Amino acid sequence: MLQTTLNNGHSMPMLGLGVSGMYGADAVRAIRSALTIGYRLIDTAAMYDNEAAVGRAVRESGIGRAEIFVTTKVKDTYQGYDSTIRAFEESLNRINCGYIDLYLLHWPSRSHRREMWRAMETLHQQGRIRSIGVCNYPIPLLEEFQDYADIVPAVNQVEFSPYLYSEDLLRYCQGQGIQLQAYSPLTQGKRLDDPRLIATAIKYGKTPAQIMLRWILHHGVSAIPKSNNVRRLRENLDIFDFDLLPEDLARLDGFHEGLRIFDDPMNYI
Ligand SMILES: NC(=O)c1ccc[n+]([C@@H]2O[C@H](COP(=O)([O-])OP(=O)(O)OC[C@H]3O[C@@H](n4cnc5c(N)ncnc54)[C@H](OP(=O)(O)O)[C@@H]3O)[C@@H](O)[C@H]2O)c1
């Protein structure tokens, strides 16, 4: 599995499994299948209501804990310093597999961003968490870190795909040593039928989903596609035996249309 080294020296797989919308025994089954197939990064969140299932799948997988990278996130309703610490304790207990690799602020808080980041730093400094980061932070909110942060976020997880090619944000994060990670990397299926994408997929003998994921990784962005279907889990992982030619990369860059499935984080400034 292709890895990236985060700004604190820890490694993170570039491709992982997002698990929003999976619950209970179905989630355990899908995550165990993913681990068997070769996934080593699982992206959950307190909000997804499946942290316990993630922990169970990891424990039952028979794979060493150190080989698996688990991400979870602070629920939006936990605003402030103490509540962020409490949110972490609760997630750690639910996941129950020793430690969390990456803990993220799920959405920027309009009024408590600083205290929440201070709580993340405390958890990190206490050695209770390996890496800390954010989600949905646009450039102006990342710039604020210069005023109040001791630790630069290791990761910024944002909506990102060929149809939402946030090039300025990518360049900014690269400049600051922040690993960008793409959520909804397959546009939740909304552009998989784009004839231009299909034509590219045919050219490479790959699927539209594989082309999108390859494009994302080529840009140095990590991706966490969600699937609870074994065939599609395999498909999404099978992207390391080809590369896109420069002219095809450039063509896909041109697919950008500002497509957003989720809120524009700029609304949180
Ligand atoms: N930080 C945040 O604010 C935030 C927000 C949204 C999402 N996320 C994270 O990002 C992860 C992924 O994003 P997402 O779930 O929104 O969207 P996504 O990964 O772009 O798309 C998932 C959808 O595509 C389908 N799919 C998966 N592989 C496919 C393939 N090869 N061909 C055709 N269809 C395929 C899935 O169906 P099947 O399951 O039936 O295969 C599912 O309906 C989430 O699970 C979550 O972990 C984070």
Side-chain angles (χ1 to χ4, degrees), residues 151-164:
I151 301 175
V152 175
V155 170
N156 185 18
Q157 185 184 109
V158 298
E159 190 170 347
F160 189 91
S161 76
Y163 302 88
L164 180 61

Side-chain angles (χ1 to χ4, degrees), residues 17-22 43-44 48 73 104 106-107 135-136 157-158 182-189 192 207 209-210 224-229 232-233 235-236 261-262:
L17 175 70
V19 300
S20 69
M22 300 184 192
D43 179 88
T44 182
Y48 303 164
K73 316 184 189 92
L104 302 175
H106 205 147
W107 275 92
C135 303
N136 300 301
Q157 185 184 109
V158 298
Y183 74 70
S184 306
L186 303 176
T187 67
Q188 288 191 350
L192 288 173
T207 66
Q210 290 171 324
I224 45 166
K226 175 261 168 186
S227 181
N228 52 12
N229 170 283
R232 289 190 284 279
L233 282 170
E235 179 183 325
N236 296 344
I261 291 144
F262 291 85

Side-chain angles (χ1 to χ4, degrees), residues 87-106:
F88 171 76
E89 307 283 0
E90 291 172 4
S91 284
L92 190 66
N93 286 339
R94 280 190 295 263
I95 294 179
N96 187 23
C97 58
Y99 60 90
I100 291 166
D101 291 277
L102 175 64
Y103 199 44
L104 302 175
L105 296 181
H106 205 147

Side-chain angles (χ1 to χ4, degrees), residues 7-78:
N7 60 16
N8 55 21
H10 287 294
S11 291
M12 181 182 81
M14 282 295 276
L15 188 68
L17 175 70
V19 300
S20 69
M22 300 184 192
Y23 304 101
D26 288 345
V28 176
R29 208 169 14 252
I31 298 161
R32 283 195 58 174
S33 298
L35 290 169
T36 303
I37 289 167
Y39 286 82
R40 290 294 179 268
L41 186 167
I42 310 295
D43 179 88
T44 182
M47 207 167 80
Y48 303 164
D49 207 11
N50 58 16
E51 288 175 308
V54 169
R56 192 171 146 204
V58 169
R59 288 193 305 277
E60 291 177 356
S61 68
I63 298 165
R65 173 67 187 87
E67 287 180 49
I68 304 174
F69 191 100
V70 177
T71 302
T72 192
K73 316 184 189 92
V74 184
K75 207 172 191 167
D76 298 17
T77 46
Y78 283 61

